[in-house]
Amino acid sequence: MATIQNWISTFRLRTLPLALSVIILGSLLAYANGFKNYVVTLLAVLTTLFLQILSNVANDYGDGVKGTDNDERIGPQRAIQSGAIGQSAMKMAVIILSLLAFISGISLILFAIPSSELLKAAVFLILGLVSIWAAIKYTVGKDAYGYRGMGDLFVFIFFGLVGVCGTFYLHANELPLDIFLPASAIGFLSTGVLNLNNMRDFNSDKNAGKNTLVVNIGLKTAKRYHTTLLIGALILSIVYVFLNSGIEWSSYLFLLVSPLVIFNLKKVFQIKDPKQLDPLLKQLAITTLLYSILFGTGQLL
């Protein structure tokens, strides 16, 4: 019988700050543009948390069933891999979390979008259903996109564009095109976290037939790709701020995370043993959270 601690470990709470970053950024940008709805923010946070935990549980199930999680894996041991939670219980958790995410998402749509705008509501309903599908299909099933090198693209879309732009729109009922700049920036940072994860698991993924982007391009190219993601995020952020605020110093608060970004890049290129990359995942996730808070706060000042 699985314990509460087993389930909490399976939920992988250390990944939640990364998921919250997109909601925080989208909400703060909406606040800065004069649109404040704290209930929308709360419901968006709740929906995102359910989706992130769903993704973590589904990943444990998908990789566990496929045998990808084995003794060769470097990261924390997962529940199915260790035998702490059975496959049937994990599958039921996936179903329950899917329902919770759906209910929370429906509540968010009903609250944020007027009943007269059925087309907009339908679009967000589709986005919500696709988000649930994406959370599950990363590792679950024969055609899991995480095994075909598509994980980075989906993280960029859902932990960047959809998360930030969708949250902004639910607050404001409009979407300026320049919001895609910070949305892409945080999408790059989120993809950077996945890239670190895949670099850490390069050998075990390759041997298990999990063809992540890192497996496809190799570690050396993956490190250069990592540099592009992190530096690209800073450049896009600077462009957005310059276009909207000029040289107003407070709008550049997000640059306070630059030393953390540089530290992450420096360590990535210094490290030779993939095991040593594991702490950098948490470091970059926290950096991304700090970035979202500082960037959004800078636009409010």
Side-chain angles (χ1 to χ4, degrees), residues 50 54 92-105 132:
F50 281 138
L54 167 62
M92 180 56 66
V94 169
I95 294 171
I96 292 172
L97 286 164
S98 297
L99 289 173
L100 290 173
F102 179 76
I103 292 170
S104 180
I132 293 173

Side-chain angles (χ1 to χ4, degrees), residues 9 13 36 46 61 65 78-79 105 125 131 152 166 192 201 204 211 259 262 267 281 294:
S9 177
L13 301 184
K36 291 185 179 181
L46 186 62
Y61 176 77
V65 169
R78 292 184 177 173
L125 176 59
S131 296
D152 295 60
D201 295 340
S204 60
N211 295 317
I262 294 171
K267 295 296 290 185
L281 275 76
L294 290 172

Side-chain angles (χ1 to χ4, degrees), residues 102-121:
F102 179 76
I103 292 170
S104 180
I106 286 291
S107 301
L108 174 59
I109 293 169
L110 291 176
F111 187 87
I113 299 179
S115 58
S116 59
E117 298 184 0
L118 293 179
L119 180 59
K120 292 179 181 179

Side-chain angles (χ1 to χ4, degrees), residues 249-269:
W249 71 268
S250 60
S251 297
Y252 293 88
L253 278 176
F254 69 91
L255 288 175
L256 291 174
V257 305
S258 297
L260 297 174
V261 170
I262 294 171
F263 169 82
N264 191 276
L265 289 173
K266 183 178 179 181
K267 295 296 290 185
V268 163
F269 280 92

